[in-house]
Amino acid sequence: MKIAELKNNLKQGNLDNVYLITGKEQVFIKDIQKSFKDIMSSEEREMNFSNFDLEEVSLGDVINEAISAPFFGERRLVFAEHPYFLTGEKVKNVVDQNADLLLKYIKNPTPSTILVIFASYDKLDSRKKIVKELKKLAITVNAGKMEGPILAKTIKNDLENAGYQIENEALDLLINKTKGNYSLIINQLNKLKLYSLNTKKIDQKSVIELVPQSLEDNVFDLMTEILNKNIYKAEELYNQFLLQKIDPILLVAIIISQLRLLIQVKILSEKGLTEGTIAKNLKMNPYRVKYAYRQARTLNRQQLQIMYGDIVNLDYQIKSGQGDKELLFDLFIAKYA
Amino acid sequence: MENLVKEQPRVVHEFQKIISSNMLSHAYLIDNASSKIRHQMAIWLAQSQFCDNLENGMPDQTCQKCQTIILGDNPDVLEIKTEKQSIGVDDIKFFKKEANMAATQGKRRILIIDEAEKMTVQAANNLLKTIEEPEGNLMIILLADSSKQLLPTIQSRVQIFHLSNQSNEDEIASLVELGFKEEQALRALKVSDIKYLESTTGEKYQSLLSAITNWLKEVNQQKINCFVDVQTDLMPLVENKDQQHLVFNMLNQIFSDILSIRYNLEKSTLTPVDILEKRNIQKIINMSDDLFTAEQMWKSNVSFQAILEDLSLKFVD
């Protein structure tokens, strides 16, 4: 079910007993939580609303709350967050949960209770019985990331409703700098709207000046400086990372992922594939591919491939304890001098 | 477990004689066969030290003491098992400390180290001290795929028992349950350990084999597209560490098959044709070396995808 449909149903009083909200987009999650809370008056909420963190509270307590009759009201609303047992990940220092309790409950939920489970994870483990049953018996709503064109359209609509316009290049850059995170985009738009209060037009220059570069962008700059043999500049950037206490292992991981995409885009564009087809082939956000496509133009594939081999080898040297990681990264930069 | 005597008559018989004459050593290394059978052998050996009804060096496996060992409930039988890539020196120190406490159920304590080849050099050296000068009545049983994977210093200080490598009926049955055809299961067990095969299904195993074969065909054609294939064709089929291990096993077997085909040796297991026919023998050997290094990198926790992509670039050099 889509968020709009859910909100509409809640407004009209078409309520179900169990909801599963998947995805990590905070703006949507907060919006959904507000919509659920709005079905009760504030007095009713005080008595009949509870919010549980399943990393800290046992499922038994949640189910006990869910089977209790409402107090001075017609329904009870129960939120359950961080249901880590629905994923395949191993989580440390959490309460051991008996998923069978939830399984039993969703098969026969209390009619006067609305149980909303917020599974803010990238992926649920669909092999688990509890996940299969939840998807079958609960109303599932996706609060995940908006992809490519839908995201762009939503931002444009938001801005138009507020009486603003945004240049296409500025929009691309904004989406890239925020990695398509809608919550972040909304935060940045507040700033950009203030900055463009007179013109009501957001251009690329203002996005460059006001939206901070992500760690990935800064690492890309480092990688470009190394490839261009600007060793002093590269060392300066690297030292800034160290001052910010950024682990060289993280830098290596980001460079690997960036080089991978650049090489993939180079290979596929040499075969004559368009940006859209490449994004589809790689199952990747079209904006990321578009950006990489632009960056890859000026770079030499042979050079990128050599660097890929070097950086994977550096990862091995660090992880097998062949030397101090900060020094090993330094030597990696020096190799390109 | 009941099949152990039938599956491994030689080793069981040898141990029977040693147990009957009370000549057990303090350190053993058991290799070959599958992880499941090696583990069963270690449990059988541990049972022989606690069984109430030991007869001709054979534990009955049904008494309460034998059962608690099978269930892992005997405090005197300690097992080091890890899901991690390696067994570190801290793991060994912790278990040594535990193992050196006085026995509570019988006359001795037993430490079983599963996948002993995962021990880091520091961990192995730390264990070496205990093997050289065992404290109290401690028996150490190391289990490994091959004794050659352990430090020579350890090999020379333990008694090594090589299990028979014939495929186990139980293992074939468990793979058939996972959708493998019997012939496919037999072949798969020659390629990889049951532990890794059980992480997949017959259909998935076949898809994985096809994807690896296609990837190598691209390599053979010197097509740089094999770099992209890693993400688009291989990675969607590999969900966990066990399946990654399986990929390395399959690749090693394919290289072995190619050499068999070229030199008209025994029948190949995974590929009936030489899928790298455009590469000369020296190049094949270099590629095998690269594959060996790649596996070492993987054991050090370098990303599996990055390793395969790096191999693609090396192979299409």
Side-chain angles (χ1 to χ4, degrees), chain B residues 176-187:
Chain B
V176 167
E177 241 173 76
L178 287 167
F180 282 76
K181 296 187 177 72
E182 204 159 316
E183 173 59 28
Q184 184 192 23
L186 261 166
R187 266 207 311 274

Side-chain angles (χ1 to χ4, degrees), chain A residues 25 28 33 44-45 49 80 94 103-104 135 152 178 202 208 219 231 241-242 248 283 291 312 315 331:
Chain A
E25 192 60 83
F28 298 151
Q33 288 180 337
E44 230 184 322
R45 263 203 308 273
F49 167 68
V94 290
L103 197 58
K104 202 170 154 192
K135 285 185 174 172
T178 53
I202 297 167
I208 291 169
V219 174
I231 300 308
F241 285 130
L242 292 181
K283 293 191 173 62
Y291 202 52
V312 170
D315 198 24
L331 291 171

Side-chain angles (χ1 to χ4, degrees), chain A residues 55-102:
Chain A
E55 288 184 359
E56 292 175 8
V57 180
S58 85
L59 263 171
D61 294 348
V62 178
I63 303 302
N64 280 340
E65 184 77 12
I67 59 177
S68 307
F71 198 64
F72 293 120
E74 52 187 282
R75 62 177 68 88
R76 191 174 274 286
L77 177 63
V78 179
F79 285 176
E81 300 187 299
H82 307 131
Y84 68 89
F85 53 90
L86 301 180
T87 73
E89 294 163 31
K90 288 191 170 63
V91 189
K92 284 180 184 168
N93 308 325
V94 290
V95 175
D96 256 351
Q97 300 290 15
N98 177 4
D100 289 344
L101 293 173
L102 181 59

